[in-house]
Every structure is written in C-alpha cells, then in structure tokens.
Amino acid sequence: MTTQTLPAAAAGRFTIGGDLDVARLGYGAMQLTGPGIWGDPADPDEAVRVLRRAVELGVDLIDTADSYGPFVSEMLIKKALHPYPDGLVIATKGGLTRAGPDDWRPLARPEYLRQQCELSLRHLGLERIDLYQLHRIDAKVPLEDQIGELVLLQQEGKIRHIGLSEVSVEQIEQCRKLATIVSVQNLYNIANRGAEDVLGHCERENLGFIPWFPIATGELARPGGPLATAAEQHGASPAQLALAWLLRRSPVMLPIPGTSKVSHLEENVAAAEIRLTDEEYQALADAV
C-alpha cells in the first residue's frame, strides 16, 4: 500500500469497536441526494463515480443514514459498490424521520428502529450492518427502549456495533450502561468546537469520534486569516487544512467529509497527506 495510490492511507488508522480497522479519513454520503437531502441527485452517475473513486483512493469507512433521501444514499451505495470489497465498513443510522426537504424529526420507538434497520439491510444489500448509529435520542421514548432494541438487533446478528449521534457526555454514559457503544458522531470542526468535552471523553474511552460538517472553516478562511495563510503556505485549500487539523487534533478523530463531485472528493482525500507543524497546528487551534 502506498499513499501515492491510496492517499487515504496517509491519515493513519483507527480500530472501531476492537475489530473494524479503518483509515481515519472516511466519506460521508449525505450529499449524494437532492436539495435539502431529499430525493434523487441531479447526476446519479456522478454519485456512483464518487463512491467508486472513494474506495479507489483508500477510503474504507462510508457513513450514511436511512434518512438521507430517504434511502437514496443507501441505495446508491449498493448500486456503486455491491458486492462490497473486503474491509469496507458501511455505517448507517436510524432514528430520524423525514416529512420533506430539510425536515428532520426524531423517532426512535423500538418498532420503528427495527423497521428502519431491516430496510437499511435490504437497501444496502447487507446481512449485517457493521456500525449502526442511533441518529438522535428520542426524548419521547425511554432510553432503555431505544438502546434495548438496538441490542436485540445486535444479538440477532443484524448489527455488529452500536454508535450514537449528537449526544452529551452524560448521554453517552447512560447508553453505555445499556449497551457497548463504540463511536459518537457529533458536530465538530475547526471553527465550531462545541463538542470538545465529548471528544475528550471519546479519547479517554477509546471511542471513535466522527465529526459531521468537518470542513466548515468560518472566518478562519477569510483572506489573510490563519487558515487561508497556512493553506497558501502548503499549496492547499482552506478546507484541506481544516481536515488536516482535525486529523492532527485526536487519534480517535474520523472525519467523513462529503461531496457529490469526484474532483472535490479527490481534494478532500488529499488532505490526509498534509502535515501541519506544531506551530501551525497551535496557531489554528488558538485562532478560535
């Protein structure tokens, strides 16, 4: 394996749950849908090319959800990549329902989670989902019922590992009393580090931390700003530097930048090969 042919390998590796060894730079498939994460993409053929190119570049963690489309993203993954290559980890999520574009509503009743898991298995063409994440905790349903159903699905061999999304440290620990949790997916990027306490907890407990919206750069990318300046010095884009910063930030960090274009995908994955100096890393960390 060389980073020239598999640039994602330069990100290093992390083992999720003790047995899912993945490159630390993955791919998030949310944007492989229509506007508002609703319906089919404008260019389905390009979506297929993006997924196939991601694997060619060494990406072996693809993150999706039943609510992306709904189901559009999962079915595109199956169309593009099934039968799946050895070592490819497909993570999906259940627990958000859709009523239209940009409309997201938590729904995690046990019977709904079971239905959605079964549908994801069918749409992805899998007998077992390696990482199934509770997309949102549903405040209207006892936590024991939500996590308990995922444990039942795990015991039935339909789920390998259980992850969480958009949770606090307290919620993580509540869930860990009910099940083995291996990963957490929260909003986190160089410009928005509101989940710093959750990231620190994941580091201490060796849980994979999957930051969604990972390449938001905010004011840091303005001309003359610290991110733009560092990017210029590296001959890279601010988005690439933002990803390089995330990879440097923590050994449990698993960014999953998403895109619907092959050219943008290649740019994102190339960020794995960027090495920040201690001074560059700290300057960016201190800029927010």
Side-chain angles (χ1 to χ4, degrees), residues 196-259:
E196 200 73 54
D197 61 333
V198 173
L199 172 57
H201 189 70
C202 288
E203 286 183 333
R204 290 188 295 273
E205 302 298 329
N206 199 38
L207 306 178
F209 184 86
I210 304 172
W212 62 269
F213 205 25
I215 55 177
T217 55
E219 288 295 308
L220 294 179
R222 70 183 184 279
L227 195 60
T229 300
E232 186 175 343
Q233 292 170 349
H234 282 269
S237 70
Q240 287 177 312
L241 263 288
L243 287 170
W245 187 90
L246 284 174
L247 290 167
R248 170 72 184 272
R249 170 63 186 83
S250 171
V252 304
M253 187 82 74
L254 306 171
I256 49 165
T259 178

Side-chain angles (χ1 to χ4, degrees), residues 4-279:
Q4 285 71 38
T5 55
L6 297 174
R13 303 192 70 79
F14 179 78
T15 303
I16 302 171
D19 59 2
L20 296 178
D21 180 58
V22 297
R24 290 179 52 226
L25 187 61
Y27 173 74
M30 185 174 73
Q31 295 187 34
L32 296 183
T33 63
I37 322 301
W38 186 260
D40 295 320
D43 190 344
D45 291 338
E46 179 72 354
V48 168
R49 286 191 290 268
V50 166
L51 288 160
R52 291 176 177 167
R53 184 62 176 146
V55 173
E56 289 173 356
L57 294 171
V59 169
D60 51 14
L61 171 61
I62 295 178
D63 180 83
T64 185
D66 62 35
S67 54
Y68 298 165
F71 298 118
V72 170
S73 176
E74 291 183 335
M75 290 190 285
L76 282 168
I77 289 168
K78 180 181 179 182
K79 178 180 179 181
L81 299 174
H82 193 276
Y84 300 112
D86 292 341
L88 178 63
V89 173
I90 297 175
T92 193
K93 299 181 283 292
L96 283 177
T97 189
R98 306 295 306 281
D102 293 316
D103 189 314
W104 308 82
R105 307 182 189 195
L107 179 58
R109 294 196 304 270
E111 64 271 21
Y112 181 75
L113 290 177
R114 176 169 291 273
Q115 168 188 289
Q116 297 307 101
C117 179
E118 294 284 2
L119 287 171
S120 288
L121 286 165
R122 184 188 308 172
H123 292 143
L124 288 165
L126 291 169
E127 294 184 1
R128 181 178 66 178
I129 295 166
D130 279 334
L131 177 59
Y132 194 82
Q133 303 154 94
L134 181 61
H135 211 159
R136 289 295 185 276
I137 290 176
D138 186 344
K140 298 178 181 179
V141 178
L143 185 62
E144 293 82 357
D145 293 349
Q146 300 173 62
I147 300 299
E149 192 65 27
L150 299 185
V151 171
L152 287 175
L153 289 163
Q154 188 177 46
Q155 292 171 347
E156 293 166 15
K158 295 172 181 177
I159 292 174
R160 187 171 188 170
H161 291 298
I162 299 170
L164 304 171
S165 178
E166 276 309 300
V167 287
S168 66
V169 171
E170 181 181 8
Q171 289 172 324
I172 295 170
E173 286 309 296
Q174 289 172 342
C175 292
R176 290 181 74 198
K177 293 177 181 177
L178 304 168
T180 299
I181 303 298
V182 302
S183 66
V184 175
Q185 184 166 161
N186 274 27
L187 171 64
Y188 187 91
N189 53 60
I190 191 171
N192 183 340
R193 295 178 229 160
E196 200 73 54
D197 61 333
V198 173
L199 172 57
H201 189 70
C202 288
E203 286 183 333
R204 290 188 295 273
E205 302 298 329
N206 199 38
L207 306 178
F209 184 86
I210 304 172
W212 62 269
F213 205 25
I215 55 177
T217 55
E219 288 295 308
L220 294 179
R222 70 183 184 279
L227 195 60
T229 300
E232 186 175 343
Q233 292 170 349
H234 282 269
S237 70
Q240 287 177 312
L241 263 288
L243 287 170
W245 187 90
L246 284 174
L247 290 167
R248 170 72 184 272
R249 170 63 186 83
S250 171
V252 304
M253 187 82 74
L254 306 171
I256 49 165
T259 178
S260 59
K261 301 293 183 184
V262 169
S263 58
H264 191 203
L265 168 77
E266 292 173 342
E267 178 183 303
N268 287 342
V269 176
E273 299 179 299
I274 296 173
R275 294 292 179 266
L276 299 176
T277 66
D278 292 344
E279 294 76 14

